[in-house]
Amino acid sequence: MPNKLYPVLFTLLNCVNLIAQHQMPYILDMVHNNPGEKPYITKYNSPDFLKEQGFTGAVTHWYINCAITYDNYKKGVIKNKAEREWIEHRANDIEHKITTFHKAGIAVYPFTDFIVFPQSIWEKYGKEITGKGNVTGTGGSDERARKPNLHNKRTQELLIAQIDGIFKRFPSLDGLTLRFGETYLHDTPFHLGGSPVRNGEIGIEDHILLLNILREEICVKRNKKLFYRTWDFGYNFHTNPQYYLAVTNQIEPHPNLIFSIKYQQDDYHRMTPFNPTLGIGKHQQIVESQSRMEAYGKGAHPYYTAKGVIEGWPETKYEILFGEHRFTGKKNSPELPRGIKDILSTERLQGIMTWSNGGGWQGPYITHEIWTDLNTYIVSHWAQNTRATEEELFYQFTDSLKFDLFNADIFRQIAILSIEGVRKGHCNSYTRNDVWWTRDEFFSVVANVDIIRNILKKGLQEKVLAEKTEATAIWLQIEALSKQLTCIDKDLQEAIKVSCTYGRIKYQLIEQMWKIMIVEEKYQQNIPFNTQEVNEIIDKYDSLWKEWKLLKESSPWCATLYTDMAFRNQKKGSIGELVKTWKERIYNN
């Protein structure tokens, strides 16, 4: 070989090493379907598409724990014909899907509810596996929810049989992703169960017991991966560094054991600190990132989240009080991480899991995935090359859409503006927030009653409403920019434009809602208000709903609309109920 080729080969090898060094081993995507509804129709269900996008694995929503017969534990224990046929049909379907994913080169780590057993198992062993106390963390009341006691011998035997049954039925399976914080039974008609972990500090011993069993059975005996999600509620495993270490320090590290953690100290919300359980301890971690958040439109309008995930949200410049979603008045400590790039030096972070689809309940339902695609692309491609900046990745994405530089810049302006357009419309910067007051397709104004009362008590209403006016102005700018955007793909162009108008109408409506909520509190406290102004607010509110409905009729790329109901279609506490009350008051006067 000529000597002059050595420098070229050396440079190429160095490039390969650099790429390997800066690509995370686990680049996963999850499509989590709405409980009890038809599965999402999305390209993210295609293993070929995932491979093309650089993903290495998928966290699939198949209920694989419900696809085994427990014949390995007691032959013929499931005697009910319908129950057994459902399980076998589910297993055959999963087996086919695993083959399809593996053919594309995508590893499979199904989302798994442990201690969810067939009804026949509960009928035979229920008294031996049932724990004391109320069922919690089941994702809503369900007559099939059960509280298992993991410390009982029979429960442990059946858990081990469950793991053994899964890997015997699906021997090529790459591993499992544990879910313990919520258990949904809507799509598993013959199964019962619930989280085996108790709430609060007493749950630490449950986690340690469960982890040691799963580690031994999955990671050690079968050499399979286990992604153990820390998701729960309150100041516990997911959000409390002391709790996290109290559990994980008792577990011996293993190359197949990885902890999966959301990047914020709570759910996927604004006005929320970065998760302090990330980058600590002695175990590998992956970060979960939601591409279309249920509290902020579910992809129905622009909301650029990837920049906040990687670099940190603008508001985390300031110290935010966990649980209250409000500023403390102090500057955030500069040594604390704000985004996931800030924990790279800890060498704990080994990958990401994008939720391209899923989270929440019901709508809005989208017909174009442009905003899902943007957020999923940036986060997943950053994991493929952590040396790349968010801005570099953004323009890689616009190149993939065949935007010229001028239109790419317009698109970037829209995306960047949406970051604060969403926060300042949805939340407030001056007091605490109930971040769930609007989520999915609902407006639950009852959740904001205490917030509004506090705003009036502190005399902050003018500042808060000014922030809502600012949010509307941001969305008007976004809409104006969208009308200047030109794409080769005309469907994409229309989808972007329609989604921007959708967002503008939504946040103008939200501005009127804040005004109505403040007037309602004034009314309750006998504080004078201007009736004419209330009339104008309600007229504006009604006209915006009409405009929104016309937008929906105008384009197939418009997402389904919100309703005027409270969470999950409740009239009580809804914006619709409040507006109706005010119309009656004004009419009666």
Side-chain angles (χ1 to χ4, degrees):
M1 180 183 292
N3 287 342
K4 63 182 180 181
L5 287 179
Y6 286 135
V8 176
L9 286 172
F10 182 76
T11 302
L12 288 171
L13 286 171
N14 272 344
C15 288
V16 170
N17 287 334
L18 278 172
I19 291 169
Q21 184 179 354
H22 298 288
Q23 174 164 329
M24 295 182 179
Y26 304 109
I27 304 170
L28 315 178
D29 184 65
M30 178 175 69
V31 175
H32 188 282
N33 301 304
N34 283 349
E37 295 186 16
K38 291 181 180 179
Y40 284 118
I41 298 173
T42 170
K43 57 183 172 289
Y44 292 92
N45 282 325
S46 165
D48 291 327
F49 175 76
L50 295 180
K51 185 67 175 179
E52 175 192 308
Q53 291 295 307
F55 287 97
T56 62
V59 179
T60 55
H61 196 198
W62 294 341
Y63 302 99
I64 199 166
N65 52 289
C66 298
I68 56 174
T69 62
Y70 294 85
D71 284 345
N72 61 322
Y73 185 72
K74 182 176 177 59
K75 188 73 174 176
V77 67
I78 298 177
K79 302 185 187 305
N80 182 290
K81 183 180 177 182
E83 186 177 4
R84 195 173 190 94
E85 285 179 352
W86 186 93
I87 289 170
E88 289 174 348
H89 176 78
R90 170 74 60 174
N92 291 335
D93 182 54
I94 291 173
E95 185 176 37
H96 171 73
K97 288 177 177 176
I98 291 173
T99 301
T100 304
F101 273 77
H102 283 169
K103 186 177 179 181
I106 296 293
V108 182
Y109 310 106
F111 215 48
T112 309
D113 293 308
F114 289 112
I115 322 294
V116 169
F117 299 136
Q119 185 172 326
S120 296
I121 295 288
W122 286 96
E123 289 172 353
K124 186 170 183 62
Y125 303 111
K127 290 182 180 179
E128 297 178 70
I129 60 179
T130 302
K132 296 180 180 179
N134 295 327
V135 177
T136 57
T138 58
S141 60
D142 190 300
E143 63 182 11
R144 290 182 290 112
R146 298 290 184 274
K147 187 65 177 174
N149 187 340
L150 188 59
H151 297 266
N152 290 351
K153 180 183 176 183
R154 182 73 73 179
T155 311
Q156 293 177 25
E157 287 180 358
L158 285 165
L159 171 59
I160 291 169
Q162 187 174 57
I163 296 165
D164 181 61
I166 289 171
F167 287 105
K168 278 183 175 172
R169 182 64 182 83
F170 311 105
S172 67
L173 192 64
D174 303 280
L176 296 170
T177 301
L178 165 86
R179 174 171 65 179
F180 85 90
E182 298 169 272
T183 303
Y184 296 107
L185 304 169
H186 303 69
D187 301 290
T188 56
F190 296 100
H191 287 73
L192 301 83
S195 172
V197 178
R198 291 168 291 180
N199 286 345
E201 288 190 11
I202 197 170
I204 291 173
E205 62 181 276
D206 297 345
H207 277 295
I208 294 169
L209 175 58
L210 179 59
L211 266 162
N212 277 320
I213 293 172
L214 298 181
R215 180 187 179 280
E216 177 66 20
E217 295 296 325
I218 297 173
C219 305
V220 178
K221 285 185 179 180
R222 294 171 175 83
N223 193 28
K224 304 289 187 177
K225 304 294 182 187
L226 170 63
F227 295 94
Y228 195 99
R229 301 184 72 235
T230 63
W231 174 244
D232 60 5
F233 300 95
Y235 193 52
N236 296 308
F237 197 12
H238 188 67
T239 55
N240 181 342
Q242 289 73 39
Y243 192 114
Y244 177 85
L245 293 175
V247 173
T248 59
N249 281 349
Q250 300 302 311
I251 308 300
E252 184 182 352
H254 192 282
N256 288 333
L257 175 61
I258 306 101
F259 287 88
S260 184
I261 306 171
K262 294 181 182 181
Y263 67 90
Q264 288 182 269
Q265 193 183 20
D266 198 341
D267 214 333
Y268 297 113
H269 291 300
R270 299 297 295 275
M271 298 295 292
T272 300
F274 186 78
N275 199 330
T277 66
L278 284 166
I280 66 172
K282 55 187 181 179
H283 291 271
Q284 303 172 88
Q285 299 175 335
I286 64 169
V287 166
E288 299 182 28
S289 169
Q290 194 176 26
S291 296
R292 50 190 199 96
M293 301 177 182
E294 65 263 34
Y296 309 109
K298 283 188 173 176
H301 57 70
Y303 182 36
Y304 184 38
T305 61
K307 184 176 176 66
V309 174
I310 296 168
E311 298 181 350
W313 298 104
E315 65 268 25
T316 56
K317 174 183 177 182
Y318 310 102
E319 187 179 73
I320 298 171
L321 189 64
F322 167 72
E324 293 203 10
H325 306 280
R326 66 173 175 85
F327 295 130
T328 66
K330 301 176 184 177
K331 184 178 179 181
N332 201 4
S333 178
E335 67 269 14
L336 291 177
R338 293 176 56 194
I340 58 176
K341 71 176 181 60
D342 298 330
I343 60 169
L344 279 175
S345 61
T346 69
E347 299 183 354
R348 300 289 180 273
L349 186 58
Q350 296 297 305
I352 55 91
M353 180 204 302
T354 54
W355 295 31
S356 62
N357 290 265
W361 303 80
Q362 296 174 246
Y365 302 98
I366 58 175
T367 55
H368 201 289
E369 294 188 298
I370 177 58
W371 304 112
T372 302
D373 292 342
L374 172 63
N375 291 319
T376 307
Y377 182 98
I378 303 299
V379 174
S380 64
H381 281 71
W382 179 80
Q384 293 169 46
N385 178 16
T386 58
R387 291 174 65 92
T389 66
E390 170 274 329
E391 186 173 14
E392 288 169 345
L393 294 169
F394 190 97
Y395 284 107
Q396 284 180 25
F397 178 74
T398 55
D399 282 347
S400 73
L401 300 178
K402 297 182 171 55
F403 284 5
D404 61 32
L405 184 57
F406 179 79
N407 285 290
D409 283 342
I410 290 176
F411 187 71
R412 182 160 176 81
Q413 288 180 71
I414 290 170
I416 297 297
L417 284 167
S418 73
I419 294 172
E420 287 293 73
V422 164
R423 183 185 73 86
K424 292 189 173 187
H426 180 92
C427 304
N428 85 89
S429 301
Y430 301 100
T431 182
R432 68 185 181 88
N433 284 277
D434 187 308
V435 287
W436 284 124
W437 83 271
T438 172
R439 62 167 298 181
D440 304 308
E441 57 189 16
F442 309 110
F443 296 107
S444 301
V445 297
V446 66
N448 260 345
V449 170
D450 290 341
I451 309 299
I452 301 296
R453 187 170 297 139
N454 194 44
I455 288 169
L456 263 67
K457 181 180 178 181
K458 295 183 176 181
L460 296 169
Q461 56 268 33
E462 288 188 12
K463 288 186 175 182
V464 169
L465 290 179
E467 189 173 44
K468 302 305 156 230
T469 301
E470 181 192 0
T472 287
I474 291 171
W475 281 98
L476 285 165
Q477 186 180 358
I478 287 171
E479 182 182 39
L481 284 163
S482 73
K483 293 177 180 178
Q484 301 171 56
L485 186 73
T486 301
C487 308
I488 293 174
D489 182 340
K490 295 307 174 186
D491 286 341
L492 173 61
Q493 181 174 324
E494 183 184 352
I496 293 170
K497 183 169 70 73
V498 167
S499 72
C500 291
T501 297
Y502 185 109
R504 186 266 300 166
I505 295 170
K506 173 187 164 182
Y507 283 96
Q508 278 190 310
L509 262 171
I510 286 176
E511 180 185 6
Q512 309 316 309
M513 293 178 196
W514 278 88
K515 290 177 179 178
I516 294 167
M517 288 186 286
I518 286 173
V519 168
E520 172 65 15
E521 185 57 31
K522 285 183 177 181
Y523 178 85
Q524 295 298 331
Q525 295 186 30
N526 293 315
I527 298 172
F529 57 88
N530 187 317
T531 304
Q532 181 57 37
E533 286 182 5
V534 177
N535 266 318
E536 291 171 1
I537 293 166
I538 292 175
D539 285 346
K540 180 68 172 175
Y541 172 90
D542 285 341
S543 68
L544 285 165
W545 272 110
K546 289 176 183 176
E547 185 183 8
W548 216 0
K549 290 171 183 175
L550 288 172
L551 180 72
K552 175 59 184 160
E553 294 171 6
S554 72
S555 173
W557 301 120
C558 184
T560 60
L561 304 183
Y562 282 62
T563 76
D564 64 354
M565 307 289 274
F567 181 50
R568 302 196 66 187
N569 292 306
Q570 297 297 308
K571 287 184 179 180
K572 188 171 178 58
S574 68
I575 185 61
E577 179 189 54
L578 181 58
V579 170
K580 181 182 178 184
T581 298
W582 270 100
K583 286 179 177 179
E584 290 171 352
R585 284 174 185 160
I586 292 168
Y587 178 79
N588 290 335
N589 286 337

